mmCIF file of all heavy atoms in Angstrom:
data_model
loop_
_atom_site.group_PDB
_atom_site.id
_atom_site.type_symbol
_atom_site.label_atom_id
_atom_site.label_comp_id
_atom_site.label_asym_id
_atom_site.label_seq_id
_atom_site.Cartn_x
_atom_site.Cartn_y
_atom_site.Cartn_z
ATOM 1 N N ALA B 866 -37.746 100.621 27.128
ATOM 2 C CA ALA B 866 -38.875 100.062 26.363
ATOM 3 C C ALA B 866 -38.628 98.583 26.055
ATOM 4 O O ALA B 866 -39.553 97.763 26.126
ATOM 5 C CB ALA B 866 -39.073 100.855 25.072
ATOM 6 N N LEU B 867 -37.382 98.255 25.757
ATOM 7 C CA LEU B 867 -37.074 96.848 25.467
ATOM 8 C C LEU B 867 -37.242 96.002 26.730
ATOM 9 O O LEU B 867 -37.812 94.897 26.685
ATOM 10 C CB LEU B 867 -35.649 96.729 24.899
ATOM 11 C CG LEU B 867 -35.166 95.311 24.569
ATOM 12 C CD1 LEU B 867 -36.137 94.575 23.645
ATOM 13 C CD2 LEU B 867 -33.777 95.358 23.930
ATOM 14 N N LEU B 868 -36.793 96.537 27.870
ATOM 15 C CA LEU B 868 -36.935 95.794 29.135
ATOM 16 C C LEU B 868 -38.414 95.591 29.482
ATOM 17 O O LEU B 868 -38.800 94.536 29.996
ATOM 18 C CB LEU B 868 -36.202 96.519 30.269
ATOM 19 C CG LEU B 868 -34.665 96.545 30.150
ATOM 20 C CD1 LEU B 868 -34.051 97.371 31.283
ATOM 21 C CD2 LEU B 868 -34.075 95.143 30.155
ATOM 22 N N ALA B 869 -39.235 96.600 29.166
ATOM 23 C CA ALA B 869 -40.680 96.472 29.437
ATOM 24 C C ALA B 869 -41.273 95.356 28.563
ATOM 25 O O ALA B 869 -42.115 94.569 29.025
ATOM 26 C CB ALA B 869 -41.377 97.804 29.162
ATOM 27 N N GLN B 870 -40.825 95.285 27.326
ATOM 28 C CA GLN B 870 -41.313 94.230 26.427
ATOM 29 C C GLN B 870 -40.890 92.853 26.948
ATOM 30 O O GLN B 870 -41.674 91.896 26.941
ATOM 31 C CB GLN B 870 -40.749 94.465 25.015
ATOM 32 C CG GLN B 870 -41.191 93.452 23.987
ATOM 33 C CD GLN B 870 -42.697 93.392 23.807
ATOM 34 O OE1 GLN B 870 -43.315 94.349 23.354
ATOM 35 N NE2 GLN B 870 -43.304 92.269 24.208
ATOM 36 N N ILE B 871 -39.644 92.763 27.403
ATOM 37 C CA ILE B 871 -39.139 91.489 27.942
ATOM 38 C C ILE B 871 -39.963 91.084 29.169
ATOM 39 O O ILE B 871 -40.374 89.927 29.311
ATOM 40 C CB ILE B 871 -37.632 91.624 28.290
ATOM 41 C CG1 ILE B 871 -36.818 91.715 26.993
ATOM 42 C CG2 ILE B 871 -37.140 90.462 29.162
ATOM 43 C CD1 ILE B 871 -35.362 92.079 27.189
ATOM 44 N N ASN B 872 -40.244 92.066 30.022
ATOM 45 C CA ASN B 872 -41.027 91.789 31.223
ATOM 46 C C ASN B 872 -42.419 91.276 30.863
ATOM 47 O O ASN B 872 -42.942 90.335 31.478
ATOM 48 C CB ASN B 872 -41.112 93.070 32.065
ATOM 49 C CG ASN B 872 -41.646 92.790 33.435
ATOM 50 O OD1 ASN B 872 -41.310 91.754 34.019
ATOM 51 N ND2 ASN B 872 -42.488 93.659 33.946
ATOM 52 N N SER B 873 -42.978 91.872 29.828
ATOM 53 C CA SER B 873 -44.312 91.447 29.392
ATOM 54 C C SER B 873 -44.276 89.993 28.890
ATOM 55 O O SER B 873 -45.163 89.188 29.219
ATOM 56 C CB SER B 873 -44.787 92.435 28.310
ATOM 57 O OG SER B 873 -45.749 91.880 27.522
ATOM 58 N N LEU B 874 -43.240 89.624 28.153
ATOM 59 C CA LEU B 874 -43.131 88.242 27.663
ATOM 60 C C LEU B 874 -42.839 87.276 28.815
ATOM 61 O O LEU B 874 -43.337 86.145 28.819
ATOM 62 C CB LEU B 874 -42.032 88.140 26.595
ATOM 63 C CG LEU B 874 -42.374 88.806 25.256
ATOM 64 C CD1 LEU B 874 -41.136 88.915 24.370
ATOM 65 C CD2 LEU B 874 -43.472 88.045 24.525
ATOM 66 N N ASN B 875 -42.058 87.732 29.792
ATOM 67 C CA ASN B 875 -41.796 86.884 30.972
ATOM 68 C C ASN B 875 -43.099 86.491 31.662
ATOM 69 O O ASN B 875 -43.238 85.398 32.186
ATOM 70 C CB ASN B 875 -40.938 87.636 31.997
ATOM 71 C CG ASN B 875 -39.475 87.715 31.602
ATOM 72 O OD1 ASN B 875 -39.014 86.961 30.745
ATOM 73 N ND2 ASN B 875 -38.741 88.644 32.201
ATOM 74 N N ASN B 876 -44.072 87.435 31.647
ATOM 75 C CA ASN B 876 -45.325 87.219 32.379
ATOM 76 C C ASN B 876 -46.459 86.707 31.504
ATOM 77 O O ASN B 876 -47.587 86.568 31.980
ATOM 78 C CB ASN B 876 -45.740 88.531 33.065
ATOM 79 C CG ASN B 876 -44.763 88.883 34.164
ATOM 80 O OD1 ASN B 876 -44.479 88.072 35.025
ATOM 81 N ND2 ASN B 876 -44.200 90.088 34.112
ATOM 82 N N ASP B 877 -46.171 86.450 30.258
ATOM 83 C CA ASP B 877 -47.204 85.998 29.320
ATOM 84 C C ASP B 877 -47.222 84.465 29.295
ATOM 85 O O ASP B 877 -46.323 83.822 28.736
ATOM 86 C CB ASP B 877 -46.873 86.570 27.925
ATOM 87 C CG ASP B 877 -47.951 86.242 26.913
ATOM 88 O OD1 ASP B 877 -48.749 85.324 27.167
ATOM 89 O OD2 ASP B 877 -47.978 86.907 25.864
ATOM 90 N N ASN B 878 -48.256 83.876 29.884
ATOM 91 C CA ASN B 878 -48.324 82.409 29.980
ATOM 92 C C ASN B 878 -48.501 81.733 28.632
ATOM 93 O O ASN B 878 -48.326 80.515 28.523
ATOM 94 C CB ASN B 878 -49.485 81.996 30.898
ATOM 95 C CG ASN B 878 -49.089 82.123 32.345
ATOM 96 O OD1 ASN B 878 -47.899 82.138 32.658
ATOM 97 N ND2 ASN B 878 -50.072 82.236 33.215
ATOM 98 N N THR B 879 -48.879 82.497 27.625
ATOM 99 C CA THR B 879 -49.078 81.866 26.316
ATOM 100 C C THR B 879 -47.777 81.777 25.519
ATOM 101 O O THR B 879 -47.754 81.228 24.430
ATOM 102 C CB THR B 879 -50.132 82.637 25.485
ATOM 103 O OG1 THR B 879 -49.614 83.951 25.232
ATOM 104 C CG2 THR B 879 -51.452 82.729 26.218
ATOM 105 N N VAL B 880 -46.696 82.340 26.066
ATOM 106 C CA VAL B 880 -45.377 82.232 25.418
ATOM 107 C C VAL B 880 -44.502 81.316 26.275
ATOM 108 O O VAL B 880 -44.276 81.591 27.447
ATOM 109 C CB VAL B 880 -44.716 83.627 25.274
ATOM 110 C CG1 VAL B 880 -43.275 83.515 24.802
ATOM 111 C CG2 VAL B 880 -45.523 84.493 24.322
ATOM 112 N N ASP B 881 -44.011 80.224 25.663
ATOM 113 C CA ASP B 881 -43.221 79.258 26.435
ATOM 114 C C ASP B 881 -41.759 79.678 26.547
ATOM 115 O O ASP B 881 -41.111 79.433 27.557
ATOM 116 C CB ASP B 881 -43.318 77.881 25.777
ATOM 117 C CG ASP B 881 -44.738 77.368 25.820
ATOM 118 O OD1 ASP B 881 -45.196 77.007 26.910
ATOM 119 O OD2 ASP B 881 -45.409 77.381 24.773
ATOM 120 N N GLY B 882 -41.244 80.276 25.461
ATOM 121 C CA GLY B 882 -39.851 80.705 25.478
ATOM 122 C C GLY B 882 -39.662 81.808 24.464
ATOM 123 O O GLY B 882 -40.433 81.903 23.507
ATOM 124 N N PHE B 883 -38.652 82.656 24.692
ATOM 125 C CA PHE B 883 -38.416 83.726 23.710
ATOM 126 C C PHE B 883 -36.953 84.124 23.664
ATOM 127 O O PHE B 883 -36.183 83.817 24.573
ATOM 128 C CB PHE B 883 -39.319 84.943 23.976
ATOM 129 C CG PHE B 883 -39.009 85.708 25.235
ATOM 130 C CD1 PHE B 883 -38.213 86.838 25.202
ATOM 131 C CD2 PHE B 883 -39.532 85.303 26.460
ATOM 132 C CE1 PHE B 883 -37.933 87.556 26.351
ATOM 133 C CE2 PHE B 883 -39.249 86.007 27.623
ATOM 134 C CZ PHE B 883 -38.459 87.140 27.579
ATOM 135 N N ILE B 884 -36.616 84.791 22.578
ATOM 136 C CA ILE B 884 -35.244 85.298 22.440
ATOM 137 C C ILE B 884 -35.294 86.754 21.991
ATOM 138 O O ILE B 884 -36.260 87.191 21.361
ATOM 139 C CB ILE B 884 -34.408 84.486 21.425
ATOM 140 C CG1 ILE B 884 -34.921 84.663 19.977
ATOM 141 C CG2 ILE B 884 -34.384 83.008 21.766
ATOM 142 C CD1 ILE B 884 -33.956 84.175 18.934
ATOM 143 N N VAL B 885 -34.247 87.457 22.334
ATOM 144 C CA VAL B 885 -34.020 88.781 21.757
ATOM 145 C C VAL B 885 -32.990 88.559 20.661
ATOM 146 O O VAL B 885 -31.922 87.990 20.914
ATOM 147 C CB VAL B 885 -33.484 89.769 22.819
ATOM 148 C CG1 VAL B 885 -33.182 91.116 22.190
ATOM 149 C CG2 VAL B 885 -34.471 89.893 23.969
#
Side-chain angles (χ1 to χ4, degrees):
L867 179 54
L868 292 176
Q870 181 59 65
I871 289 170
N872 192 38
S873 158
L874 289 168
N875 284 343
N876 292 308
D877 185 342
N878 280 339
T879 64
V880 171
D881 296 288
F883 68 96
I884 67 166
V885 177

